[in-house]
Amino acid sequence: MHDSSYYVPAAAMAVALVIKGPSVLRGRRDPLLRSAYALMLLAGLVFFFAAPPTIGWVNRATGVSNFSVAIVYSLLSAFSASCLVLLINWRGGPNTRLVSRRWIAGYAVVIAATVVLFALGDAPVERRRDFDTYYANTPYMREMIVLYLTALAVANVSMTVVCWRWALKVSGWLRVGLLVMSVGFLSNIGFAAAKLIAVNARWNGGNVDYLSTYFAPTLSAAGELVCAIGFCVPMACQRIGDVWSTWSTYRRLGPLWRELRPAGDHGHRAVRIAWWAPAELQVTQRESDIHDGMLALYPYFDPEVRARAYDAAVAAGSGPDRARAEADATMVTAALRARADDPEGKVVSAPSSASAKAGGPRDLVGMSVALRRSPVVATARERIEAGAGTASRERIG
């Protein structure tokens, strides 16, 4: 990776932290939200402090050669713990807090040991890229390097196992996200393995430093990116799916809404929401218009029309739910015709008109679909229109 490449993901994490900050403050008691925010924060810090220019600046500012190494290794251990805690809180289940605290305590010990080993060791020559292999045979530094790589490998192996086991029990976008995260964690295992191979080669007099200096950082960057995508996939796709489902409901309600809207117009202009309003509000507005129209038609609803239509739908092979929707749609069609034939509103003013409200809750989407596609509703509509035409001719005659 180039020196400036480290700052790109660090900046991306900083932007995400600023955007998510208010929601985290509002939900600061939510362990899942807190752990997700901690993960983003630590990921950004890892990339920032691992950048060679930052390493040089930290070393100069502290006056201690390679002081930034202790910071980066400690941040990597903290990041590993945060990934584990996030997965544990995300999955939930019994003893979530206890397991999270154990992992945090374990990696806190690793971080403390890293600092102690760095203080005991001697690393006078600044190495911004190849510290692991350059000091592979230096007392205390050697143990510190092995400790942080082992801790990193253990965390990523554990996360891979958790993701695979969890993925076998779930489906949909959550499974996709878990499998993607598994690939990212495997990449991080490859990072630790490449580093350990290079260090081991140094112990045995060999030199494969390129694995540690060039190959491993690339694996790490790819792993972090893939893990981030895996975390985002279930949430983003679930949100997209919810929006798509809501707009689909809005569209499917269209035929019934257009059919009933004139009936619900009582001579005043209803308050309309803006076209850019959220999809949920658009659906609510459309349902409200439909209910207003049905309220105006209640006096004209004929239970016998509904019963005949239900029997016809069942005879045509419709299930109970679909047959009820087709019967309701047929009753609405007949009520609209009856209302049109009653311009003076005599039925509305009749004392017995309120009894027509029986029928219970109705499937508005099913009714709307039936208006457009049901042959039972189409046949009933033709019969009603034909009857209305005959009655009109008789009145004229």
Side-chain angles (χ1 to χ4, degrees):
M1 294 179 64
H2 298 291
D3 291 356
S4 59
S5 300
Y6 290 84
Y7 294 117
V8 175
M13 291 297 174
V15 172
L17 289 170
V18 172
I19 294 174
K20 289 294 183 181
S23 61
V24 173
L25 288 174
R26 289 192 298 269
R28 53 185 174 274
R29 294 189 177 182
D30 183 352
L32 179 59
L33 196 60
R34 290 201 310 266
S35 55
Y37 198 78
L39 180 122
M40 290 190 294
L41 175 62
L42 289 168
L45 291 175
V46 166
F47 279 109
F48 178 78
F49 282 99
T54 305
I55 291 174
W57 178 84
V58 170
N59 293 338
R60 290 192 303 271
T62 59
V64 179
S65 299
N66 299 304
F67 183 81
S68 60
V69 169
I71 296 176
V72 173
Y73 288 2
S74 297
L75 286 172
L76 280 170
S77 297
F79 175 75
S80 299
S82 70
C83 288
L84 283 164
V85 171
L86 177 58
L87 274 178
I88 292 167
N89 285 312
W90 192 6
R91 185 176 184 179
N95 302 321
T96 298
R97 298 181 68 179
L98 178 61
V99 175
S100 298
R101 288 174 179 175
R102 286 177 177 176
W103 278 112
I104 293 172
Y107 276 85
V109 172
V110 171
I111 293 171
T114 299
V115 175
V116 170
L117 290 170
F118 179 82
L120 293 174
D122 184 25
V125 181
E126 182 185 72
R127 308 302 299 184
R128 298 187 182 184
R129 290 183 175 274
D130 59 349
F131 180 91
D132 296 335
T133 50
Y134 189 86
Y135 288 104
N137 292 303
T138 303
Y140 298 112
M141 295 299 173
R142 174 182 58 232
E143 287 76 11
M144 181 186 70
I145 294 167
V146 173
L147 175 64
Y148 102 86
L149 289 175
T150 302
L152 187 65
V154 168
N156 282 278
V157 168
S158 300
M159 288 183 286
T160 302
V161 172
V162 170
C163 285
W164 274 103
R165 288 180 177 176
W166 192 5
L168 294 176
K169 299 178 181 179
V170 297
S171 59
W173 288 113
L174 179 56
R175 172 179 283 186
V176 173
L178 291 170
L179 294 177
V180 172
M181 280 188 284
S182 298
V183 174
F185 295 140
L186 287 172
S187 183
N188 288 335
I189 294 172
F191 163 83
K195 289 276 188 179
L196 286 170
I197 291 172
V199 169
N200 185 67
R202 282 282 186 153
W203 293 345
N204 293 283
N207 187 334
V208 288
D209 291 2
Y210 66 91
L211 288 177
S212 175
T213 306
Y214 301 105
F215 183 64
T218 302
L219 279 178
S220 177
E224 301 305 328
L225 177 61
V226 173
C227 287
I229 293 173
F231 277 118
C232 294
V233 161
M235 294 177 286
C237 292
Q238 180 64 43
R239 177 58 182 165
I240 293 172
D242 290 343
V243 172
W244 177 266
S245 177
T246 302
W247 280 115
S248 177
T249 300
Y250 178 84
R251 178 183 57 81
R252 294 170 70 191
L253 285 171
L256 183 61
W257 175 73
R258 285 186 287 271
E259 195 87 4
L260 289 174
R261 191 180 182 189
D265 185 4
H266 304 296
H268 62 273
R269 185 175 181 179
V271 177
R272 312 301 301 178
I273 60 175
W275 62 267
W276 60 82
E280 292 82 1
L281 287 179
Q282 299 279 7
V283 171
T284 300
Q285 176 72 69
R286 182 156 283 191
E287 289 175 341
S288 177
D289 290 344
I290 290 172
H291 284 301
D292 286 345
M294 293 185 68
L295 182 63
L297 290 179
Y298 275 152
Y300 300 95
F301 283 169
D302 188 343
E304 293 184 4
V305 171
R306 184 181 186 279
R308 289 195 299 270
Y310 181 84
D311 293 339
V314 171
S318 298
D321 293 339
R322 182 177 175 182
R324 280 192 290 270
E326 291 178 281
D328 287 334
T330 302
M331 185 172 63
V332 166
T333 300
L336 285 168
R337 183 68 261 178
R339 184 175 184 269
D341 292 338
D342 184 31
E344 298 179 359
K346 295 180 180 179
V347 174
V348 176
S349 59
S352 61
S353 62
S355 63
K357 293 184 180 181
R362 295 182 172 86
D363 177 10
L364 300 184
V365 173
M367 292 171 61
S368 187
V369 172
L371 279 174
R372 185 174 60 179
R373 299 179 181 177
S374 171
V376 173
V377 177
T379 302
R381 188 193 297 272
E382 292 174 1
R383 188 184 306 114
I384 292 168
E385 294 295 336
T390 302
S392 176
R393 286 193 296 272
E394 288 176 354
R395 285 196 299 270
I396 295 174

